[in-house]
């Protein structure tokens, strides 16, 4: 399914954008590899500041291809930077925030680039069609769980890949009206995908939060996230059955055979990436997110090359370079938007009267329970006015480190922030996944969230409050 794209035939601007993004990625990988070596301390410092400065250059270079969203974030970041200039530690704060922005930008770019290989993979398409054309009785779980698993691997590429397949599958429904099937399957997609943010190490959520918090019980966090995700998906299934009832048993069109070969291929890709990531994590002491930044680019290139195994190696490599270069504008916009969101969240902390807030919290005697419950509400409300969840996650996570009076458990803090981010996928029309699904399905984001999943989001929040109450007793 992989088409040939000539590098030389691409616009010059696209090639320059790809080169700039590639340099940023290489700088971050070198920074990670040299971080634990004292022998290269001076080189590490130079690379660190180069990566920070290069991220700023990438933002400027990418201006012509940026949307209003990215340009607005650039303007806000510039205003906050100017406001921070008089801070006694302005250099250190801005440098640290730029470092976070560069890492987040590279992280999302290398993971999102995997969708270029996934979209051209016959195995991925076969698995997607198999999931979305199951009998009506099994369809919700097959779509929700299938998107959940693929989302843990493909990140935001999963909803973009699955949404068209879901719509295509809905067109063949004979057990209920097409529009009803479309609504149920799109809701299943959202309700399945969003909860990967609670546990999957391949998500930006975990990458950011595990970098902000220390002393997190990672095993407990993953276990809690997986169990909560299972409960929320089950809740989605129960709501689906309550709202629509069990479908009338009518003959469906012939189901495709189980794509055993495709399932094996997808399983091999997933297990290979995770094995390489965790091997690097345990061998070199990287975090999971850092390991992914190093392993994901190689995985993407190998995956694209494998799709072109019938071609000579040189021709296959040229086509692979062309495919990734052609995706550069889109990858760069994602890197800029999320990188700047992280920057804004980090510098905002130092523009607030933290000492006054700490004194107020101490006087008001806020319990950790109140904080845990308030976080998802704040993140979701922010999403209604087009503020990215990452801004609030980075801001609130950094604020916690400056507020010793609020005695919160780091693991539960990460969980509540992750839950808020996940909840915004079902409740906020401006969430990234919602916008991706809306763009490929032509369904308004307010319909996907407020109309189809608003009640579901409220019920999920109620379950979350009960869970936090039990965990903090």
């Amino acid at each position: 399914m992989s088409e040939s794209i000539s590098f030389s035939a691409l616009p010059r601007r696209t090639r320059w954008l790809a080169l700039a993004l590639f340099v940023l990625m290489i700088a971050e990988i070198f920074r990670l590899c040299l971080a634990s070596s004292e022998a290269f301390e001076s080189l590490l410092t130079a690379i660190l500041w180069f990566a920070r400065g290069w991220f700023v250059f990438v933002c400027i270079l990418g201006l012509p291809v940026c949307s209003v969203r990215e340009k607005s974030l650039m303007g806000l970041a510039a205003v906050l930077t100017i406001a921070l200039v008089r801070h006694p530690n302005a250099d250190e704060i801005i440098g640290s925030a730029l470092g976070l922005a560069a890492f987040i930008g590279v992280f999302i770019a290398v993971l999102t680039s995997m969708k270029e290989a996934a979209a051209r993979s016959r195995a991925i398409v076969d698995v997607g069609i198999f999931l979305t054309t199951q009998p009506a009785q099994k369809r919700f779980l097959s779509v929700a769980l299938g998107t959940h698993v693929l989302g843990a691997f493909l990140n935001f590429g999963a909803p973009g890949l699955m949404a068209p397949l879901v719509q295509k599958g809905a067109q063949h429904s004979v057990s209920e009206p097409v529009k009803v099937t479309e609504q149920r399957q799109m809701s299943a997609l959202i309700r399945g995908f969003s909860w990967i943010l609670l546990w999957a190490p391949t998500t930006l959520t975990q990458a950011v939060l595990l970098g902000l918090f220390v002393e997190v019980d990672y095993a407990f966090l993953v276990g809690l996230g997986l169990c909560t995700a299972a409960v929320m998906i089950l809740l989605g299934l129960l709501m689906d059955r309550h709202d629509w009832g069990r479908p009338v048993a009518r003959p469906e069109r012939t189901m495709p055979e189980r794509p055993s070969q495709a399932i094996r291929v997808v399983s091999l890709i997933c297990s290979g990436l995770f094995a390489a990531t965790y091997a690097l994590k345990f061998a070199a002491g990287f975090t999971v997110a850092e390991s992914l930044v190093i392993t994901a680019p190689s995985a993407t290139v190998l995956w694209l090359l494998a799709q072109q195994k019938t071609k000579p190696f040189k021709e296959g490599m040229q086509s692979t370079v062309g495919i990734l270069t052609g995706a550069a504008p889109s990858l760069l916009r994602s890197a800029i938007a999320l990188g700047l969101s992280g920057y804004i969240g980090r510098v905002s902390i130092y523009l607030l009267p933290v000492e006054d807030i700490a004194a107020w919290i101490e006087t008001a005697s806020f319990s950790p329970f109140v904080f845990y419950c308030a976080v998802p509400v704040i993140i979701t409300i922010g999403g209604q006015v087009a503020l990215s969840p990452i801004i609030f996650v980075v801001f609130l996570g950094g604020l916690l480190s400056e507020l010793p009076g609020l005695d919160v458990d780091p693991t539960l803090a990460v969980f509540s922030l992750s839950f808020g981010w996940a909840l915004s996928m079902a409740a906020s029309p401006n969430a990234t996944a919602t916008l991706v699904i809306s763009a490929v399905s032509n369904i308004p984001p307010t319909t996907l969230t407020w109309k189809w999943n608003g009640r579901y989001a409220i019920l999920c929040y109620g379950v979350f409050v009960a869970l936090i109450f039990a965990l903090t007793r």
Side-chain angles (χ1 to χ4, degrees):
M1 293 184 64
S2 182
E3 73 273 18
S4 296
I5 298 178
S6 173
F7 175 82
S8 58
L10 291 168
R12 180 178 297 180
R13 175 180 293 165
T14 299
R15 286 180 280 167
W16 278 111
L17 293 178
L19 178 60
L21 199 54
F22 178 74
V23 170
L24 182 63
M25 180 192 73
I26 294 298
E28 276 297 301
I29 290 176
F30 270 102
R31 179 187 68 80
L32 292 173
C33 293
L34 297 176
S36 60
S37 176
E38 296 181 1
F40 299 98
E41 186 173 349
S42 58
L43 178 59
L44 174 63
T45 301
I47 293 175
L48 182 63
W49 280 103
F50 172 81
R52 294 169 177 176
W54 194 259
F55 178 79
V56 176
F57 173 73
V58 165
C59 291
I60 297 171
L61 186 67
L63 267 173
V65 299
C66 285
S67 66
V68 173
R69 179 191 182 193
E70 289 85 47
K71 292 176 182 178
S72 299
L73 288 171
M74 288 184 199
L76 180 56
V79 170
L80 293 177
T81 302
I82 294 171
L84 196 64
V85 167
R86 293 189 177 183
H87 194 284
N89 297 319
D91 292 347
E92 181 181 346
I93 294 169
I94 293 173
S96 174
L98 283 174
L100 176 65
F103 176 76
I104 291 175
V106 169
F107 180 84
I108 196 65
V110 298
L111 283 185
T112 306
S113 67
M114 297 191 75
K115 75 178 181 182
E116 299 302 321
R120 293 168 171 81
S121 171
R122 181 73 253 176
I124 291 289
V125 173
D126 287 345
V127 170
I129 292 174
F130 177 72
L131 292 174
T132 57
T133 54
Q134 289 298 297
Q137 295 86 344
K138 301 178 181 179
R139 195 176 293 144
F140 182 94
L141 282 180
S142 66
V143 172
L145 294 177
T147 307
H148 190 82
V149 172
L150 289 177
F153 177 53
L154 302 176
N155 232 271
F156 291 113
L161 179 67
M162 290 291 287
L165 299 177
V166 163
Q167 281 192 307
K168 184 177 180 180
Q171 298 301 317
H172 299 281
S173 174
V174 296
S175 61
E176 58 191 359
V178 170
K179 289 296 183 182
V180 171
T181 301
E182 182 181 65
Q183 177 177 343
R184 295 179 71 176
Q185 291 197 210
M186 284 296 183
S187 295
L189 191 156
I190 290 174
R191 296 173 190 182
F193 173 77
S194 58
W195 304 113
I196 64 168
L197 303 183
L198 296 181
W199 66 271
T202 54
T203 61
L204 180 61
T205 313
Q206 298 296 314
V208 171
L209 291 176
L210 294 178
L212 292 173
F213 290 88
V214 294
E215 300 179 358
V216 171
D217 186 341
Y218 187 66
F220 177 74
L221 178 66
V222 171
L224 178 62
L226 280 169
C227 292
T228 305
V231 170
M232 297 307 172
I233 292 175
L234 178 60
L235 178 61
L237 172 64
L238 295 176
M239 279 198 67
D240 178 80
R241 293 289 171 84
H242 175 269
D243 291 343
W244 303 104
R246 290 183 176 273
V248 178
R250 296 178 183 174
E252 294 273 358
R253 70 188 182 95
T254 303
M255 293 295 108
E257 294 184 4
R258 178 186 176 89
S260 301
Q261 177 63 23
I263 291 174
R264 283 194 293 270
V265 170
V266 173
S267 299
L268 178 63
I269 295 168
C270 293
S271 59
L273 178 62
F274 278 101
T277 299
Y278 278 92
L280 192 59
K281 168 181 166 60
F282 292 118
F286 293 122
T287 66
V288 173
E290 291 170 343
S291 298
L292 277 169
V293 167
I294 298 173
T295 58
S298 299
T300 301
V301 170
L302 290 174
W303 193 358
L304 284 169
L305 285 174
Q307 295 170 11
Q308 303 171 86
K309 58 186 177 183
T310 58
K311 300 178 181 179
F313 177 78
K314 183 178 179 180
E315 184 179 343
M317 180 58 76
Q318 289 174 340
S319 180
T320 296
V321 171
I323 289 170
L324 295 175
T325 302
S330 174
L331 298 177
L332 186 128
R333 284 194 297 270
S334 297
I336 290 175
L338 294 174
L340 285 175
S341 295
Y343 177 86
I344 291 167
R346 174 63 63 86
V347 299
S348 297
I349 302 167
Y350 301 96
L351 294 173
L352 291 177
V354 176
E355 294 182 358
D356 294 340
I357 295 175
W360 176 67
I361 288 177
E362 187 173 354
T363 302
S365 300
F366 276 114
S367 69
F369 172 76
V370 173
F371 169 80
Y372 299 141
C373 293
V375 163
V377 176
I378 295 172
I379 294 174
T380 302
I381 290 175
Q384 310 307 312
V385 292
L387 290 177
S388 173
I390 190 176
I391 295 177
F392 288 98
V393 168
V394 173
F395 172 74
L396 293 171
L399 188 61
L400 281 178
S401 63
E402 304 292 331
L403 297 177
L406 189 60
D407 185 22
V408 299
D409 178 80
T411 304
L412 291 183
V414 170
F415 176 69
S416 63
L417 288 163
S418 300
F419 186 90
W421 201 332
L423 189 67
S424 71
M425 299 291 182
S428 169
N430 294 297
T432 303
T434 305
L435 293 175
V436 168
I437 296 170
S438 177
V440 299
S441 67
N442 292 319
I443 299 173
T446 50
T447 298
L448 290 169
T449 53
W450 297 343
K451 185 175 180 180
W452 290 355
N453 288 289
R455 290 185 301 115
Y456 171 70
I458 294 172
L459 285 176
C460 288
Y461 179 71
V463 173
F464 168 77
V465 171
L467 177 61
I468 290 296
F469 179 77
L471 290 172
T472 54
R473 289 191 65 182

